[in-house]
Amino acid sequence: MAVVAPRGEVDLATVAAVRHALRSEEAGARVVLDLRQVEFMDSAGLGLIVEQMLRAEQDGSGFAVVRGSEQVQRLLRMAGLDERLVVLDDVLGEWDAGAVR
Amino acid sequence: MRRLFSRRIAGDRERFRLLADLAEVADGRRSLVETADQVCALLVPHFADLCMVDVVQRGGLRRLAVKAWGTGAAERETQLRARGPTTPDTPGSGHAVATGEPQLIAPVPDELIRAGAYDERDVAMLRSLRMRACVVVPLSARGRALGALTLVVTDQSRRRYRTGDLEFVRVLSGRVALALDNAGLFTELQTVEAQLTAALGGLAEAVTIQNPNGNLIYANQAAAEMLGAATPQEMLEHPAETLVGRYEMFHEDGSPLDPDEFPGRQLLAGREAAPLVMRAVNRDSGEQRWRVVRASAVRDRAGQLTMVVNVISDITAVKRAELAEGLLARAGEVLGASMDLPDTLQRVADLCVPDLADWCAVSIPGEHNDLVTVAVAHTEPEKVALARRIAERNRTSLSEPGGAAAVFRDRAPQLTDPITDEMLVGAALDHEHLEALRALSMHAALIVPMLSRGASVGVLALVSAESGRRFDEADVTLACELARRAGAAVENARLYTERSAIAHTLQASLLPDELPEMTGWNASALYLPAGDENRVGGDFYEAIALDDGWVLVVGDVSGRGAPAAALTARMRHTLRTAVLTTGSVAEALRVLNRDLIARPALSLGTAVCVRLLDDSAQAEVYCAGHPLPVLIHHGRCAQVGDFGPMLGAFADAAWRPASVRLIAEDILVLYTDGVIDAVGPDGHFGERRLEEVLTEASTAEQAVARVRTALTDFQVGAQADDIAVLAAQRALAPVPTPAARDRMRTVDAEAGKSSPRRLEPTGVAARTNGPNPTPDGKAAPRPLPGESASEWAGVSEPVLQETYPAIDSAVPEARRSVARFAAAAGLEGERLDAVRLAVSEAVSNAVIHAYEGRDGEVHVNATVSPRELQVLVIDSGRGLRAPAETPGLGFGLKLMAEASDVFDAVERAEGGTEVRLVFGLDAHATAG
């Protein structure tokens, strides 16, 4: 299991770095994107999450996010991703207990 | 012998005899035709073989006599008589009359015959006469052309005319003309008289003829009957005065008519005479007749008046019908024009005079079971007062057995004719009253009930006095019909007046009598109920005093009529009580909201409340579904406050205040939607027009007055909705706290520097052009308005203008910059996040898609008004796209739309895209 935890703002200017971090994880590994330290995120971050979801579906690996700020959570809601995404309250916990498909 | 005789023209002796015989013919006893025949008989065959007399008649020549002699004479005479005289163009009688010169034509050439003939047959006939010579002489007497005499000699006698003959014919013609003239006069006289007698005798119209002295010299049967004489003869024997004296005469309008005004007398006096329409009332019978009198003058040749012919037509039937029709039509018009009861009653009385009566009184039930006369009309204005005085004294108890009370009770007309002096004595209350009654010289009275839906609402008394006229059946019918219509109108007006009074009373309870004295403030209010008086308004205004200031309220309830009025009263009093007990507007609105929700019927209302503090520039605006107030600061207008839910709709509704600064001389104007919804030639009055009107106002009074004037000028047709306006101005010399004073100074200083604001209503349609970015394209951010931004809301317009290179880093930079600006405008938390997200998306879009790798720029402009923050993100690239190859970024448009209150994107004319994001400002940050 790999955890990527960006800090600050995820937007057009920073998304490439986050994407790089995610892709450097080996294929098939479960990935957790920890959003707790993301102050702001826009559709650039959303795009990244969607990409990662599609990848996890293709190779059967798991993907989850750790609940972020109100702004981030609202954004996920607006995009309709909150229901399709595994959202964890913490990196450790339910997910390891097998709560993920 | 005959041959010999006939071959020469008569000798001198015969000529003298001829003249003597002609003198005899000219004795004037014969008719014109007889005279002409006689002349011809004397001249043929002694002086001519053929003789013709043509006379001037009705502007032309008429062949009066033809005489020939010998074989075929009768045939020739017939032919020549039928042919008639020649035209003035060819030689012959016509030519002679026209020129006045005698002609001798000898011989008579064939060309002349052809020229004078009508056709070939005529030529043949004229040739067959075998004329040798012809003399044509004009006939004239007393300077008047009478005709011409034509004498012809033919092959029959083989005579000739010579110049000497022409001379004799001249003399002869003088005699002939004289004979004809005399005969003509005689005939004219005879004919005129015979014709007159025959024609006028049988005429239905009355005709009289007067001589120049004014004496009657002729009257036909109709005239005798009309003027009350058995025969024309009887008429002629009585002097005109006695005939005229039998009648009381009036003009059409009811004013007395002097006999000297008759058209005939006018003509005799040498004046013009127009037809006269008059009304004659027979003094004996009281019968009334309408007549038209026409007169024409008959003059002799010298223009002297010889007689006057009068034609008098009786138009009573026509006039009656016309009168009734006109009266009833006028009644409809006049009675429908007023909804005021006393006015309507007076109109009823005025209608009847003078067409129906000399005076008229209208009475309606009073407060003491009696009939009270409330309106009087009289033909003579000076008698109105007298009639009214009598009427006022004469209060008839409704229980009286007869008179008006009986008419009122029984709903049946009553005719009293004649009114005797005993009646007056019986009716008089005292001697003075009797004298007054006598002074009215009443002849007859007709009292008719005024009915409405079968019930009596009053009585109409019609009195005949000076005119002496009687009321006949037609009058009674007409009066009843008129009273029936008046009854309906009176009833309508009564109901209306009552209802209106109720409405006014209610309305009065809905408004403060006047605004209370507000120390430190100048306030002014306007209330204009909609035109229809039956609609009690749903608008109200209120100024509630608290210890440290005031609460101004302007409100409006939904619905109309009495329920709306009741709701208005409830809203107003609940709000006042709640404000006074809780001291909090927010709490008072919640109390009112709960109260309205608790009502069984849906009770909705809107209100705007402003909390004013005597010692602080800070004011709070609470808006419950109501148009936002306008703040006038230094001649600039801005809407202040935020929209909150309306009252009575949501149980959990709450209202948050919006802060607004109100420094000395600032004016706050509260109004109801009746102002902006007023309809004029180009649509609604609208907020923009209101602000334009208010811009010039420098006092509260002016603000209200300007709104009133503008609405009056603008409105087309009746006012559709109630209008309430309340304006309050902080007085110039308040007693502020030191802190407040400092703040005010700051505000003034800053306001003076600020640029004019532009107020964009939320949700405005997409525009084609946006504000221009900085021309050099470099990032040229102006200093941020900083912390004070929110303070100037509504006063100035803070502006952010920045330009970024179209690269990734523009996204966070622009977002942070706008976020600071937005925070300064009072946005925070979720709302601020929404601004950040939307701006982030808009700038990302520009960077990624607009230029596709090319160099470019992104301009970010932001402005803030009291109501909203507006952000423009402008690029000059390819435009707004959401390419599918970048997953997630397709969310951009959706997110912008969702995060902002208004989102639109327009292609700019000069290329590129302008994205507009508008965010409503829920509450202003209250910095400082």
Side-chain angles (χ1 to χ4, degrees):
Chain A
M1 188 186 82
V3 176
V4 176
R7 291 172 66 166
E9 299 169 318
V10 180
D11 59 13
L12 194 61
T14 57
V15 75
V18 184
R19 183 179 283 115
H20 180 76
L22 283 171
R23 291 199 178 159
S24 60
E25 297 305 322
E26 59 179 285
R30 290 182 190 174
V31 174
V32 173
L33 182 62
D34 184 348
L35 298 172
R36 280 177 291 185
Q37 289 172 57
V38 174
E39 279 172 38
F40 173 84
M41 188 168 91
D42 64 11
S43 61
L46 283 178
L48 191 64
I49 291 171
V50 172
E51 267 175 50
Q52 197 57 40
M53 281 169 75
L54 293 174
R55 247 178 71 180
E57 225 165 80
Q58 272 165 17
D59 62 17
S61 62
F63 175 62
V65 297
V66 177
R67 185 182 309 281
S69 69
E70 259 190 57
Q71 192 269 327
V72 171
Q73 289 308 117
R74 205 157 42 236
L75 181 72
L76 294 176
R77 257 200 319 279
M78 284 161 94
L81 290 179
D82 56 338
E83 285 175 4
R84 298 167 61 184
L85 197 61
V86 179
V87 182
L88 307 174
D89 285 327
D90 202 314
V91 177
L92 305 171
E94 294 146 285
W95 200 42
D96 277 343
V100 175
R101 291 157 281 170
Chain B
M1 145 109 184
R2 177 182 278 179
R3 191 171 252 258
L4 177 73
F5 177 79
S6 57
R7 281 178 71 164
R8 40 180 202 98
I9 291 295
D12 283 350
R13 247 183 71 205
E14 281 166 309
R15 289 181 180 188
F16 282 122
R17 227 177 101 193
L18 199 55
L19 293 175
D21 288 347
L22 277 173
E24 222 166 284
V25 171
D27 66 356
R29 287 208 200 132
R30 293 166 181 82
S31 76
L32 202 59
V33 177
E34 281 170 352
T35 307
D37 283 342
Q38 199 68 40
V39 167
C40 289
L42 286 171
L43 293 172
V44 174
H46 299 297
F47 199 71
D49 296 325
L50 197 56
C51 173
M52 291 171 282
V53 177
D54 300 330
V55 292
V56 175
Q57 234 169 33
R58 294 186 198 93
L61 269 183
R62 188 164 79 96
R63 185 140 290 172
L64 209 57
V66 181
K67 178 74 178 168
W69 69 276
T71 322
E75 195 192 339
R76 283 200 293 283
E77 283 172 9
T78 309
Q79 284 171 336
L80 286 167
R81 194 171 278 128
R83 182 184 181 277
T86 55
T87 59
D89 309 326
T90 53
S93 52
H95 189 69
V97 171
T99 59
E101 290 298 323
Q103 299 162 17
L104 170 63
I105 306 159
V108 180
D110 196 53
E111 306 86 79
L112 201 65
I113 288 176
R114 296 198 70 91
Y118 296 112
D119 51 29
E120 284 307 316
R121 250 181 94 180
D122 198 30
V123 171
M125 191 276 288
L126 291 174
R127 278 180 186 157
S128 75
L129 296 175
R130 287 177 293 140
M131 296 183 280
R132 288 186 155 209
C134 179
V135 174
V136 189
V137 278
L139 299 171
S140 66
R142 287 178 291 170
R144 199 162 64 113
L146 294 178
L149 177 69
T150 307
L151 299 168
V152 181
V153 283
T154 66
D155 283 352
Q156 205 180 0
S157 69
R158 298 189 181 178
R159 288 176 290 190
R160 289 189 189 281
Y161 287 130
R162 296 185 169 73
T163 319
D165 294 327
L166 189 61
E167 206 47 51
F168 175 68
V169 174
R170 250 190 232 274
V171 176
L172 189 79
S173 71
R175 296 286 167 93
V176 173
L178 191 62
L180 288 173
D181 190 36
N182 289 347
L185 264 183
F186 178 73
T187 312
E188 268 171 35
L189 271 180
Q190 245 188 354
T191 312
V192 167
E193 197 180 323
Q195 282 173 350
L196 262 182
T197 314
L200 302 182
L203 212 61
E205 289 186 309
V207 177
T208 62
I209 300 178
Q210 291 165 286
N211 67 11
N213 300 326
N215 293 325
L216 210 54
I217 53 170
Y218 173 84
N220 66 358
Q221 186 60 35
E225 283 166 16
M226 180 182 281
L227 299 172
T231 62
Q233 201 54 40
E234 187 192 323
M235 236 186 117
L236 297 181
E237 283 161 7
H238 284 86
E241 274 62 37
T242 43
L243 286 173
V244 167
R246 288 183 191 167
Y247 294 92
E248 190 91 41
M249 289 175 295
F250 302 92
H251 284 285
E252 203 174 6
D253 64 3
S255 57
L257 174 67
D258 192 291
D260 283 339
E261 293 179 69
F262 285 162
R265 296 201 184 184
Q266 292 288 313
L267 285 176
L268 290 168
R271 287 187 284 268
E272 296 281 309
L276 174 75
V277 177
M278 59 167 288
R279 188 156 53 93
V281 179
N282 189 308
R283 288 183 198 274
D284 298 331
S285 67
E287 188 197 27
Q288 172 180 260
R289 307 299 296 181
W290 285 90
R291 287 165 187 163
V292 181
V293 186
R294 292 185 184 84
S296 44
V298 177
R299 299 178 193 280
D300 64 14
R301 288 196 175 91
Q304 281 294 312
L305 186 73
T306 54
M307 55 190 180
V308 169
V309 181
N310 299 297
V311 180
I312 308 156
S313 320
D314 190 293
I315 54 162
T316 305
V318 178
K319 199 70 194 172
R320 267 264 165 77
E322 181 190 299
L323 195 74
E325 200 178 300
L327 196 61
L328 293 177
R330 217 157 63 239
E333 206 172 285
V334 161
L335 295 178
S338 175
M339 274 297 146
D340 177 60
L341 183 56
D343 188 39
T344 301
L345 294 169
Q346 188 58 48
R347 281 160 186 259
V348 171
D350 290 342
L351 267 177
C352 301
V353 174
D355 291 343
L356 210 47
D358 296 325
W359 63 283
C360 173
V362 181
S363 306
I364 58 169
E367 287 169 12
H368 310 290
N369 194 38
D370 53 1
L371 278 175
V372 185
T373 301
V374 285
V376 174
H378 200 290
T379 38
E380 293 168 47
E382 61 269 23
K383 289 216 173 162
V384 172
L386 177 61
R388 185 165 286 148
R389 253 201 324 279
I390 290 174
E392 273 165 10
R393 286 202 58 184
N394 197 11
R395 282 172 177 267
T396 314
S397 167
L398 277 175
S399 53
E400 266 181 38
V407 171
F408 185 82
R409 275 196 315 273
D410 305 339
R411 305 188 297 273
Q414 191 190 77
L415 179 62
T416 310
D417 184 10
I419 294 176
T420 59
D421 195 56
E422 295 86 74
M423 288 180 187
L424 298 183
V425 171
L429 302 172
D430 52 38
H431 183 70
E432 191 196 347
H433 191 209
L434 178 63
E435 287 309 302
L437 288 177
R438 280 178 174 153
L440 283 172
S441 57
M442 298 184 280
H443 283 193
L446 172 61
I447 308 177
V448 291
M450 295 196 294
L451 301 175
S452 171
R453 278 171 258 154
S456 285
V457 295
V459 296
L460 197 62
L462 301 166
V463 178
S464 155
E466 286 77 6
S467 71
R469 60 176 290 187
R470 292 276 149 79
F471 297 111
D472 60 17
E473 214 169 301
D475 291 327
V476 176
T477 309
L478 179 57
C480 284
E481 179 57 23
L482 186 68
R484 200 183 59 74
R485 294 186 188 205
V490 164
E491 183 64 3
N492 284 344
R494 196 182 60 74
L495 285 175
Y496 194 88
T497 305
E498 259 175 32
R499 247 183 256 156
S500 192
I502 295 168
H504 277 301
T505 310
L506 263 173
Q507 197 111 72
S509 78
L510 297 180
L511 295 170
D513 293 332
E514 56 186 52
L515 284 172
E517 179 73 21
M518 292 171 66
T519 310
W521 302 89
N522 298 314
S524 181
L526 168 69
Y527 185 79
L528 297 172
D532 182 358
E533 285 207 59
N534 267 337
R535 259 200 51 216
V536 182
D539 288 7
F540 66 95
Y541 62 86
E542 188 87 48
I544 306 165
L546 291 175
D547 290 342
D548 57 350
W550 293 85
V551 176
L552 303 181
V553 187
V554 162
D556 190 358
V557 303
S558 66
R560 293 180 164 196
L567 185 57
T568 305
R570 182 165 187 137
M571 258 181 79
R572 188 180 152 217
H573 295 296
T574 305
L575 194 62
R576 170 178 278 273
T577 311
V579 163
L580 290 173
T581 51
T582 66
S584 153
V585 177
E587 189 49 37
L589 286 170
R590 274 194 291 277
V591 169
L592 174 60
N593 188 49
R594 280 198 298 272
D595 178 71
L596 292 176
I597 284 171
R599 280 169 63 96
L602 182 66
S603 307
L604 299 175
T606 71
V608 64
C609 306
V610 179
R611 176 79 168 96
L612 300 175
L613 296 171
D614 289 337
D615 293 342
S616 164
Q618 208 66 48
E620 290 175 340
V621 177
Y622 297 80
C623 171
H626 198 91
L628 295 175
V630 173
L631 174 67
I632 312 170
H633 173 88
H634 287 217
R636 283 192 231 114
C637 290
Q639 289 187 338
V640 291
D642 303 317
F643 289 107
M646 70 190 305
L647 293 155
F650 314 104
D652 59 348
W655 288 268
R656 285 166 59 197
S659 283
V660 58
R661 290 196 161 275
L662 202 63
I663 62 161
E665 293 197 287
D666 282 358
I667 308 169
L668 204 49
V669 182
L670 289 67
Y671 60 93
T672 55
D673 53 10
V675 174
I676 48 179
D677 290 346
V679 177
D682 23 277
H684 293 289
F685 190 71
E687 292 172 5
R688 263 169 214 278
R689 213 173 254 114
L690 176 64
E691 289 186 16
E692 275 166 28
V693 164
L694 289 176
T695 299
E696 303 289 319
S698 56
T699 65
E701 286 78 8
Q702 266 183 24
V704 169
R706 287 185 61 85
V707 171
R708 174 174 215 149
T709 308
L711 282 173
T712 310
D713 294 347
F714 177 78
Q715 246 162 6
V716 174
Q719 183 187 327
D721 197 4
D722 296 334
I723 286 169
V725 181
L726 173 58
Q729 180 178 36
R730 187 181 283 278
L732 190 56
V735 200
T737 60
R741 204 157 47 225
D742 289 342
R743 272 203 302 272
M744 271 184 266
R745 223 176 357 250
T746 314
V747 169
D748 273 348
E750 287 296 328
K753 286 191 280 181
S754 61
S755 57
R757 59 175 286 276
R758 190 184 69 238
L759 189 73
E760 286 287 353
T762 314
V764 75
R767 292 153 304 140
T768 54
N769 214 337
N772 292 325
T774 47
D776 61 359
K778 296 227 176 77
R782 280 182 16 177
L784 277 178
E787 289 298 299
S788 56
S790 65
E791 285 211 34
W792 318 130
V795 171
S796 62
E797 184 188 53
V799 173
L800 175 75
Q801 280 192 324
E802 298 188 314
T803 301
Y804 303 91
I807 52 173
D808 294 354
S809 64
V811 174
E813 281 175 37
R815 181 175 68 236
R816 285 173 205 143
S817 184
V818 173
R820 273 198 304 279
F821 187 80
L827 287 173
E828 54 187 59
E830 191 179 328
R831 298 293 290 150
L832 185 59
D833 283 343
V835 173
R836 293 164 73 203
L837 178 62
V839 171
S840 200
E841 297 301 341
V843 178
S844 296
N845 229 317
V847 170
I848 301 168
H849 306 298
Y851 301 102
E852 292 185 313
R854 291 179 290 121
D855 286 345
E857 286 169 348
V858 181
H859 307 285
V860 177
N861 297 346
T863 53
V864 66
S865 79
R867 289 171 59 180
E868 63 196 23
L869 166 73
Q870 176 173 284
V871 182
L872 300 169
V873 178
I874 302 154
D875 64 58
S876 44
R878 208 182 57 164
L880 194 78
R881 300 282 148 82
E885 69 270 18
T886 319
L889 283 170
F891 285 121
L893 296 183
K894 181 178 183 253
L895 294 178
M896 278 187 268
E898 228 160 85
S900 62
D901 295 314
V902 174
F903 160 65
D904 57 41
V906 290
E907 301 284 341
R908 301 165 74 225
E910 61 269 44
T913 304
E914 178 185 305
V915 170
R916 188 166 67 110
L917 301 161
V918 180
F919 306 88
L921 301 180
D922 272 343
H924 303 292
T926 51

